[in-house]
Amino acid sequence: MLAAESLDSLSQNELRDRIGLLELEIARTRSHMENADRHRKAAELLFRPPA
């Protein structure tokens, strides 16, 4: 994916902008993972067998 893209032609400013966008995407991805984990845990509690 991103690792295969050449960075050789990018300026320092373009690289900084790219890092900023990647950091935003990382935060968005982490948030999605946390929401999915909360949803899964709630479903597990709802559908667990009676004790």
Side-chain angles (χ1 to χ4, degrees):
M1 262 196 205
L2 294 172
E5 294 180 31
S6 174
L7 304 176
D8 294 338
S9 64
L10 299 178
S11 70
Q12 292 290 312
N13 286 337
E14 290 170 322
L15 290 168
R16 281 187 203 93
D17 290 345
R18 180 181 171 90
I19 289 169
L21 290 171
L22 291 169
E23 288 172 341
L24 288 172
E25 184 62 13
I26 289 167
R28 186 178 79 90
T29 303
R30 285 187 174 144
S31 176
H32 181 79
M33 288 174 62
E34 290 165 2
N35 288 337
D37 189 50
R38 281 193 295 274
H39 183 81
R40 181 187 51 79
K41 286 178 181 176
E44 286 174 354
L45 286 174
L46 183 63
F47 294 107
R48 72 175 175 203

